[in-house]
Amino acid sequence: GLSRIHIGMESGCDSVLDLVRKGVSSAEHIAAGRRVIEAGFDLSEYYMPGLGGAERWRENAVESARVLNAINPTFIRLRSTVPLPGTPLYDLFKQKKWTPLSEDGKVREIRLFVESLEGVTSTVASDHIMNLLEDVGGRLPEARQQILDTIDRYLGMSDDERESFIIARRLGYTRGLSDYRPDERVEAVKRELKLQFESIDQAVLEIAKNYL
């Protein structure tokens, strides 16, 4: 009765896979994914924007798309990277061997990733609390432009507006751009966070510890 298999690909970039000691190569991901599809299963592949850090975000996007183009899974699920204390990735962060992407950086990586998906009929799903833009999703290729338009709407906001949206999302006041509205509660928290942290992105790293 098993009809769907979930694979935590995380990345299709070999240097990123090596960095996080995934224990598998991009070629092995492709071979395994194809076997699942050929066997008649639905396949959910998980991709982690930001896993390559600021140093490898372009490679993480383009190479992950390359692998998924070769597989054409049923679903592509986004799982944004968050370094948590007690994990090897957090240790790399503290050792300055890996730099976390900003919230804006992850959105830009997702845009490049979606642009690099070709010839697939997968459904993209941003179904996780740590994804900034939950309303980025839909079946390709039909939903490609809608996904890119949503991303561009966010990136087209002013710095101040983007910070407010980030705080609203992280506090649970909004789920996506489609239902976001300015909120004085958010502005009050934002003022407090800016006094406490050097940046909103540093504040988000602290807030994220309460989610995961």
Side-chain angles (χ1 to χ4, degrees):
L2 182 65
S3 61
R4 181 182 298 174
I5 291 178
H6 295 256
I7 294 180
M9 181 188 79
E10 328 303 13
S11 174
C13 177
D14 284 314
S15 63
V16 174
L17 293 170
D18 289 343
L19 177 74
V20 299
R21 300 179 182 178
K22 182 66 180 177
V24 66
S25 68
S26 62
E28 288 171 315
H29 268 309
I30 291 172
R34 284 177 171 172
R35 289 192 189 104
V36 171
I37 294 296
E38 289 168 2
F41 292 100
D42 286 343
L43 173 61
S44 284
E45 290 274 9
Y46 291 77
Y47 157 62
M48 294 183 68
L51 189 60
E55 299 82 1
R56 301 176 179 84
W57 73 270
R58 290 184 179 276
E59 298 97 312
N60 195 49
V62 173
E63 288 298 293
S64 295
R66 176 185 65 83
V67 169
L68 294 172
N69 288 339
I71 298 171
N72 192 20
T74 317
F75 297 96
I76 297 171
R77 300 190 185 278
L78 307 181
R79 293 291 184 270
S80 294
T81 305
V82 179
L84 292 178
T87 64
L89 188 62
Y90 190 83
D91 293 341
L92 290 174
F93 165 47
K94 299 304 289 184
Q95 294 163 11
K96 300 187 183 304
K97 297 179 180 179
W98 178 89
T99 308
L101 271 185
S102 66
E103 294 279 61
D104 287 356
K106 291 175 189 175
V107 172
R108 292 189 180 97
E109 180 179 323
I110 291 169
R111 193 187 197 290
L112 178 58
F113 170 73
V114 173
E115 280 187 320
S116 302
L117 291 172
E118 298 177 354
V120 298
T121 56
S122 311
T123 296
V124 175
S126 184
D127 51 350
H128 193 271
I129 188 64
M130 286 316 302
N131 295 337
L132 182 62
L133 301 180
E134 186 173 317
D135 41 5
V136 166
R139 186 172 182 183
L140 300 175
E142 296 87 354
R144 180 191 303 273
Q145 194 57 52
Q146 175 188 333
I147 293 172
L148 295 177
D149 287 347
T150 299
I151 291 173
D152 288 342
R153 179 185 166 196
Y154 169 80
L155 294 175
M157 296 164 70
S158 69
D159 292 348
D160 188 61
E161 289 172 328
R162 291 200 307 277
E163 287 180 348
S164 295
F165 174 78
I166 289 168
I167 296 303
R169 170 65 172 158
R170 295 309 173 212
L171 293 179
Y173 292 156
T174 188
R175 295 188 65 177
L177 280 177
S178 58
D179 64 354
Y180 170 66
R181 300 292 183 274
D183 190 320
E184 182 51 39
R185 295 173 300 171
V186 171
E187 297 308 309
V189 172
K190 185 169 74 171
R191 288 191 291 269
E192 292 179 9
L193 291 175
K194 284 192 166 186
L195 289 173
Q196 186 176 357
F197 298 94
E198 292 183 9
S199 69
I200 293 299
D201 281 300
Q202 285 193 355
V204 167
L205 288 177
E206 290 300 313
I207 294 171
K209 295 176 184 178
N210 298 319
Y211 284 90
L212 301 173

